[in-house]
Amino acid sequence: MNIQKSLDTVNRYRWIIITIFILTIIAGFFVLRNLPKDYKSEAKLSTGLLDPSRQLAPDRASYTGPDIIIKLNQQFSTIMDIMRMPKNISLLSYRLILHDLKDQKGTFKPWSAEVKVLTDAQRQEAIGLFEERLGKKQVLTPLDNGKIKLYQIVTSMGYDEKSLNKKLDINHEQNSDFISVAFTSNNTLLSVFVVNTLSNDFINNYSLEQILNKNTAIVVLDSLLKKKEAVMNNRIKQVKDYKIRNGVLNLDKQSQIVYQQITDNENKRNQALIDKQAAQAALKSVNEKLASRTSDKYLGAEVIEDNRAIISIKNKILAAEDNYLRNGYKPADKKIVDSLQLLLSARLIRSNDQYVSDPLIAKQSLVQRRISLGVEIEKATAGIGDIDRELAKLNAKFTGMVPFDAGVQNYEQKADVATREYLEILARYNQTSLDKNIGLRLQLVQEGIPTLPESSKKLIYMAMSAIASLAICFCTLFLISVLDRSVNNGAELKSALIAKVISELDYIRPDNDNIAKIWGTPHAESEYTVFKNQLRTLRFELDNMLFSNSQKVLGITGVGSASAQAFTVLNLAYAFAQMNKKVLLIGNQEFIPALQKLKIPADQPIRAVLQGADINENKPFAFINNDLDGQSLLEIRDREALSGIFGSISSRFDLTIVALDPLTDGAENREWISFITLYTAIFVAGSALHDKQKAALAPLNADEKFAGWIVSGVKQK
């Protein structure tokens, strides 16, 4: 999207936007001049939901934190939704229409056409029907258009549900206990009547409905409570009968006592087993000590060895003494006897020091200990037997109590379930009864009263209408700019085709398109001066290109209005003629009206020239009509002959301008261009350029013969 183009479009139509803006404000002023005043009346209802003085038995004890806020908001929303229900609005509609039908002078609104056409009898019948429906609290619907069109009458007076809800505002003031009911109308008494009537009717109907609902709930709960009570009593009786029938006093305590006795006896048995095993281990150790003769020195196990050593030494002493006597008391033999005596003494001393106690005493103690341990083992064995017999009795007793315990638990569980169900229903019954007596009670704490008119909204409405008109204008212009595919200047064309633009020519109004006047004597009209300067610049560019390539033939094609292209070509030919050049223009029928104004003959056909006819020269330039009667150049003459003819024309004229057909993919233009070494294209500003056209014109950029684009009819800002 081209933002600049959108801004240019807005700038181009700025005066239209300003005019529409001013007209909108003026029209709004006259339309809103007699805007009726609005009167607003407001009534306030207290719900008691947030009033501690009215919460005798709050039912929100189980709610905490955000749950309370959610529950309260739900209750407030429910109350407001009920107030807007058709059944409540219909009652208000009945009261309003009855008020106006019964008192024509004191009506809130003038009678509508539907009411005026009613006869007195029909009006009385309508009053009766409305009162009947009011008493029955029936909802008013479009189907209530019978002989007397009740719905149509109410709607015509603006008392129907849709009309009332538009001006009725019911909301809950934040963090307060009040619900506000407000109504805005052109009559302050009507506003007061609506809010007070709706509030009072709603309070009465809502309270009555609450009481009826509570009564219905109490009846249902009472019936259910009696059934649950009968079931509970029956279950309790079953428990009692089962205990009596099986002689069960207090099975829980009995089983607990027996179980404790079993636990105690098992602990005693375990301790007796431990004592028995300890005595057996000690007895085993005593027996091992008494049976061994080598393991314990205190029992004389080493005495035999010592005695043997002493006897051996004594024998050696006897042998030594005998040898001493026989050898004649030799000193050497004496030393042997003495050394053996010393060895015997040392052995005896060692034996005496090693055995300080009598081994017989220790052995006697072990024997006594063995007898004592045997007695303990027998006592432990006898105790374990007694404990096992007691455990067997207790286990049998406990096992016999299990079936009774299961039966009692089964009956008690059923009785407990029945009791809980009964208590739950009883709690709900009591709560419902309490809610019926001291539950939610709506109160009208502030009635609606007549008020002064609301501040006028004329300025707001006028501002909104003006803003809306501006928004519509800008949106329209935006859509125009988005959907507009037109190209209005050289920059846009260059951006669209990525092509070379050699000149722009300003727009000349149709009433000023006289070529002779443009190139005539100097004049003060600025558009002529600018246009001529632009043509001179273009003439210089083209002449420079032709001179550089030593060419005298220039082809001109284009896109857009054919008449606008013809006007540009004629001015260009006239501009070259002003350089004292002999100019020949070859064009079609579009040039003839302008040529007649310049008094240039336009009756020379190209067919005659191609057949060898002479070309008539004229001032400021000559013209040949290129109408070939549906044929092409190569169908009239061959290429060689045509080259010779165009060569002779070039030698005779300083410049030949060939006005080609609009840019298409036709063969005729390509035949002409084959005999032309330089051509340009005119794009008429304001012409649309679609994607297909862009694709068709894109190859021109790669054509060496193409000099560039001329944008004509550019409207300057």
Side-chain angles (χ1 to χ4, degrees):
M1 184 180 66
N2 193 334
I3 301 298
Q4 185 61 42
K5 186 175 181 180
S6 300
L7 296 176
D8 293 341
T9 305
V10 173
N11 185 50
R12 189 183 311 136
Y13 296 104
R14 62 185 181 277
W15 292 112
I16 296 177
I17 297 174
I18 295 172
T19 302
I20 293 175
F21 179 76
I22 295 173
L23 291 177
T24 301
I25 293 178
I26 294 173
F29 172 77
F30 285 103
V31 171
L32 299 172
R33 180 175 54 181
N34 298 321
L35 184 69
K37 297 180 179 180
D38 290 333
Y39 297 88
K40 182 178 180 180
S41 184
E42 184 178 28
K44 291 184 179 294
L45 280 70
S46 174
T47 62
L49 294 173
L50 297 177
D51 188 358
S53 64
R54 298 175 60 187
Q55 297 296 324
L56 300 180
D59 59 349
R60 298 189 298 274
S62 59
Y63 294 90
T64 59
D67 294 338
I68 295 178
I69 298 175
I70 294 173
K71 181 176 177 60
L72 290 174
N73 288 335
Q74 289 175 345
Q75 289 180 302
F76 280 115
S77 299
T78 300
I79 293 173
M80 292 187 290
D81 291 341
I82 293 175
M83 289 189 74
R84 285 189 178 275
M85 284 184 178
K87 65 178 183 179
N88 291 314
I89 302 298
S90 295
L91 300 181
L92 177 61
S93 300
Y94 295 147
R95 295 191 186 280
L96 286 169
I97 195 65
L98 286 172
H99 176 276
D100 286 1
L101 289 177
K102 290 180 179 179
D103 185 7
Q104 184 178 1
K105 295 181 179 180
T107 58
F108 295 130
K109 294 181 180 180
W111 278 1
S112 62
E114 284 77 1
V115 177
K116 289 180 180 179
V117 298
L118 296 175
T119 63
D120 291 340
Q122 290 175 334
R123 189 164 63 253
Q124 292 301 322
E125 184 179 356
I127 291 173
L129 292 174
F130 281 125
E131 288 179 343
E132 181 183 356
R133 298 181 68 85
L134 178 62
K136 294 180 179 180
K137 299 179 180 179
Q138 294 179 334
V139 178
L140 183 65
T141 66
L143 300 177
D144 298 322
N145 282 330
K147 181 180 179 182
I148 303 296
K149 298 182 178 180
L150 303 180
Y151 183 80
Q152 188 173 343
I153 292 173
V154 173
T155 304
S156 66
M157 292 294 292
Y159 295 153
D160 58 297
E161 178 191 357
K162 184 177 180 181
S163 301
L164 292 175
N165 276 325
K166 286 181 180 179
K167 300 179 180 180
L168 182 64
D169 184 21
I170 303 174
N171 61 76
H172 168 233
E173 299 178 8
Q174 190 174 9
N175 300 326
S176 76
D177 187 55
F178 301 118
I179 292 178
S180 300
V181 182
F183 188 80
T184 304
S185 69
N186 305 132
N187 188 336
T188 184
L189 297 178
L190 173 60
S191 299
V192 172
F193 184 87
V194 169
V195 297
N196 291 338
T197 302
L198 178 61
S199 300
N200 287 318
D201 283 349
F202 175 73
I203 290 173
N204 295 333
N205 294 332
Y206 186 78
S207 299
L208 180 60
E209 191 172 317
Q210 289 287 314
I211 292 174
L212 291 176
N213 291 338
K214 296 296 182 182
N215 286 335
T216 303
I218 288 173
V219 171
V220 174
L221 289 173
D222 182 64
S223 175
L224 186 60
L225 186 64
K226 291 179 179 178
K227 293 179 181 179
K228 294 297 180 182
E229 184 180 12
V231 173
M232 179 187 68
N233 292 333
N234 183 42
R235 297 284 172 81
I236 293 174
K237 185 176 181 299
Q238 288 178 357
V239 174
K240 183 178 66 175
D241 292 343
Y242 182 83
K243 288 184 177 181
I244 294 173
R245 185 169 59 253
N246 294 281
V248 178
L249 182 61
N250 192 336
L251 196 59
D252 290 338
K253 289 186 178 180
Q254 289 178 356
S255 60
Q256 184 176 1
I257 293 171
V258 173
Y259 184 78
Q260 184 63 41
Q261 290 176 349
I262 292 173
T263 303
D264 293 341
N265 280 278
E266 286 181 346
N267 292 334
K268 291 179 181 179
R269 185 177 185 280
N270 292 334
Q271 186 62 44
L273 287 173
I274 292 171
D275 294 341
K276 179 180 178 180
Q277 291 174 357
Q280 288 175 343
L283 180 61
K284 181 180 179 182
S285 177
V286 170
N287 289 332
E288 288 177 352
K289 289 179 180 180
L290 291 174
S292 175
R293 290 293 180 267
T294 60
S295 61
D296 198 338
K297 61 182 180 179
Y298 294 102
L299 295 178
E302 296 180 355
V303 173
I304 297 173
E305 293 181 0
D306 290 339
N307 291 337
R308 288 176 181 174
I310 292 171
I311 292 171
S312 177
I313 294 171
K314 286 181 177 182
N315 290 330
K316 288 180 180 181
I317 291 172
L318 292 175
E321 287 177 350
D322 183 61
N323 191 33
Y324 175 65
L325 292 174
R326 288 180 181 180
N327 290 330
Y329 302 101
K330 291 180 180 181
D333 294 333
K334 179 62 174 174
K335 289 181 181 180
I336 294 173
V337 173
D338 292 339
S339 63
L340 289 173
Q341 288 291 340
L342 291 174
L343 182 61
L344 178 61
S345 298
R347 190 71 177 181
L348 290 172
I349 292 171
R350 176 176 173 273
S351 177
N352 293 331
D353 291 339
Q354 186 174 3
Y355 301 105
V356 295
S357 61
D358 189 357
L360 295 176
I361 297 174
K363 186 174 183 179
Q364 184 178 2
S365 298
L366 289 175
V367 172
Q368 291 177 353
R369 177 62 176 164
R370 181 171 62 182
I371 295 170
S372 176
L373 289 173
V375 173
E376 289 181 5
I377 291 172
E378 291 178 355
K379 288 173 62 178
T381 303
I384 291 172
D386 293 339
I387 292 173
D388 288 341
R389 286 189 292 274
E390 183 66 21
L391 281 174
K393 293 179 181 179
L394 292 173
N395 286 326
K397 185 176 182 181
F398 187 79
T399 304
M401 295 173 67
V402 170
F404 298 115
D405 183 63
V408 170
Q409 285 185 3
N410 181 36
Y411 285 111
E412 287 182 345
Q413 184 178 7
K414 292 180 179 179
D416 184 58
V417 171
T419 302
R420 286 201 303 269
E421 291 178 352
Y422 171 78
L423 293 176
E424 182 179 352
I425 300 299
L426 179 62
R428 294 178 63 181
Y429 177 85
N430 293 333
Q431 183 64 42
T432 305
S433 301
L434 190 62
D435 289 343
K436 173 187 173 183
N437 297 321
I438 57 175
L440 180 63
R441 291 291 185 270
L442 298 175
Q443 294 180 359
L444 183 61
V445 295
Q446 174 62 59
E447 293 184 343
I449 58 175
T451 59
L452 295 174
E454 297 287 303
S455 57
S456 177
K457 297 182 180 179
K458 293 181 181 179
L459 293 177
I460 297 176
Y461 292 150
M462 290 175 62
M464 291 176 62
S465 62
I467 293 172
S469 67
L470 285 177
I472 293 172
C473 289
F474 279 111
C475 289
T476 303
L477 294 176
F478 174 76
L479 290 175
I480 290 174
S481 64
V482 170
L483 300 176
D484 185 16
R485 298 299 183 90
S486 64
V487 177
N488 299 301
N489 52 52
E492 293 182 7
L493 181 64
K494 185 176 181 180
S495 175
L497 296 178
I498 314 177
K500 179 182 178 182
V501 178
I502 58 177
S503 179
E504 282 188 3
L505 299 178
D506 284 356
Y507 174 74
I508 300 296
R509 290 172 296 175
D511 55 347
N512 289 336
D513 62 352
N514 192 318
I515 298 174
K517 186 177 179 180
I518 293 174
W519 292 97
T521 56
H523 40 71
E525 295 187 35
S526 60
E527 64 177 1
Y528 284 166
T529 303
V530 174
F531 184 71
K532 286 170 63 177
N533 290 333
Q534 292 173 339
L535 277 172
R536 286 168 179 153
T537 302
L538 174 61
R539 180 183 64 186
F540 174 78
E541 294 289 339
L542 295 175
D543 185 62
N544 190 39
M545 293 180 188
L546 292 168
F547 180 77
S548 299
N549 295 297
S550 301
Q551 297 297 324
K552 293 184 178 181
V553 181
L554 175 66
I556 301 178
T557 181
V559 175
S561 171
S563 60
Q565 294 181 46
F567 177 72
T568 302
V569 173
L570 287 170
N571 275 282
L572 189 59
Y574 205 101
F576 276 106
Q578 295 301 307
M579 297 174 65
N580 295 321
K581 288 188 176 184
K582 292 173 63 177
V583 179
L584 173 63
L585 175 62
I586 302 175
N588 54 23
Q589 299 293 329
E590 293 289 341
F591 295 90
I592 293 177
L595 292 172
Q596 291 175 351
K597 293 180 181 179
L598 294 174
K599 298 180 180 180
I600 297 175
D603 55 353
Q604 295 188 79
I606 188 66
R607 180 181 288 274
V609 174
L610 296 178
Q611 297 296 334
D614 190 26
I615 301 174
N616 297 325
E617 297 183 11
N618 295 286
K619 292 293 183 178
F621 55 83
F623 177 78
I624 296 177
N625 192 332
N626 66 352
D627 185 9
L628 298 176
D629 294 331
Q631 291 182 305
S632 68
L633 286 174
L634 296 177
E635 290 175 355
I636 298 174
R637 300 294 298 269
D638 57 24
R639 185 177 294 277
E640 185 178 353
L642 290 173
S643 297
I645 293 170
F646 285 122
S648 64
I649 292 174
S650 297
S651 64
R652 183 175 176 181
F653 291 92
D654 297 324
L655 177 64
T656 301
I657 299 176
V658 181
L660 303 172
D661 290 339
L663 282 169
T664 59
D665 197 25
E668 189 170 347
N669 257 2
R670 291 202 297 271
E671 288 183 1
W672 279 100
I673 292 174
S674 66
F675 296 102
I676 298 172
T677 55
L678 187 70
Y679 70 98
T680 184
I682 299 172
F683 187 91
V684 180
S687 301
L689 195 60
H690 299 285
D691 294 337
K692 290 184 178 180
Q693 292 175 309
K694 292 179 182 179
L697 297 176
L700 291 178
N701 297 329
D703 193 350
E704 296 179 354
K705 294 183 179 181
F706 184 64
W709 286 90
I710 301 170
V711 182
S712 66
V714 177
K715 296 180 180 179
Q716 301 296 336
K717 300 177 183 178

